[in-house]
Amino acid sequence: MDLQKIPPIQQKRIVTFVNNFIIDTVSFLNKFINASENTLWKLEKRMRKLDTTLKLLEAKLNFIPDAETISPPNGASTSSNEKCIEPVSESKEMIDEKENQEVDSVNEENENKDPVNEVPEEVQKYIKMVKVGVPVEAVKLKMKNDNIDPALLKL
C-alpha cells in the first residue's frame, strides 16, 4: 500500500475535533469544581454549626455547680431513653462498653490522685467534661483543637 496515494486529513477537521475535546474537557472540569466547592461549603457550614454547638455545651458545662461530684452513667444503670432504644448492631454495644470503661478508668485515676499531684488548670475543664458524660474521644479532639496535649488527660 502506497501512503503517498492516500489523501491527507483535512486540517479544519482536526482543529474541529481538538476544539470540541477542549470545550468538553473544560465544561467537565467547571462542573466538577462547582460541585466540589458546593460540597466543601456545606461541610464548612456543618463544621461551624458543630463548633457552635460544642461551645454552647462547654458554656453550659461551666455553669453546672459541683460538676466534680457528678458521675457519668455506667453500663449497669441505664436511663429511660436508653431503655427505649436498642443498639443497632453488636459493634455499637462494644463501642459503648469501651467508652464506659475509659470513663471509669478516668474516674478511678481522678479518685486515686494525690492532692500534691494536681492537674493543670487548663486540663480541669476537660476532666469535668468527661465526668459529666462527654465521650472521651470528643474531649481529646477538643483538646487538640485548643492546642493542648491530649496525653495530659491521663487515660
Side-chain angles (χ1 to χ4, degrees), residues 2-20:
D2 189 17
L3 295 177
Q4 298 271 338
K5 294 180 182 176
I6 300 175
I9 301 175
Q10 297 175 355
Q11 286 183 352
K12 287 183 179 181
R13 196 170 198 190
I14 291 175
V15 170
T16 304
F17 284 135
V18 170
N19 283 340
N20 190 25

Side-chain angles (χ1 to χ4, degrees), residues 37-132:
E37 283 180 350
N38 286 336
T39 304
L40 287 173
W41 180 78
K42 288 176 185 177
L43 287 174
E44 182 182 356
K45 185 177 176 182
R46 284 181 59 199
M47 286 176 56
R48 275 189 265 132
K49 187 175 180 181
L50 287 172
D51 188 42
T52 303
T53 305
L54 184 61
K55 286 179 182 178
L56 287 172
L57 287 174
E58 286 178 354
K60 287 180 182 180
L61 182 64
N62 289 334
F63 287 109
I64 297 176
D66 300 328
E68 291 82 25
T69 60
I70 299 173
S71 62
N74 58 14
S77 65
T78 58
S79 66
S80 59
N81 292 340
E82 291 175 349
K83 290 179 184 177
C84 297
I85 302 172
E86 293 185 9
V88 176
S89 66
E90 195 170 287
S91 62
K92 173 76 172 153
E93 293 173 356
M94 294 169 68
I95 291 171
D96 290 341
E97 185 176 322
K98 182 179 177 183
E99 286 177 358
N100 287 335
Q101 289 173 354
E102 289 176 352
V103 170
D104 290 341
S105 68
V106 169
N107 286 338
E108 289 174 7
E109 286 180 14
N110 289 340
E111 290 172 2
N112 295 334
K113 277 187 184 174
D114 296 332
V116 176
N117 190 12
E118 286 195 23
V119 178
E121 197 171 304
E122 60 186 9
V123 180
Q124 288 179 355
K125 79 174 189 177
Y126 301 106
I127 293 174
K128 188 187 294 185
M129 290 170 70
V130 171
K131 285 182 180 181
V132 172

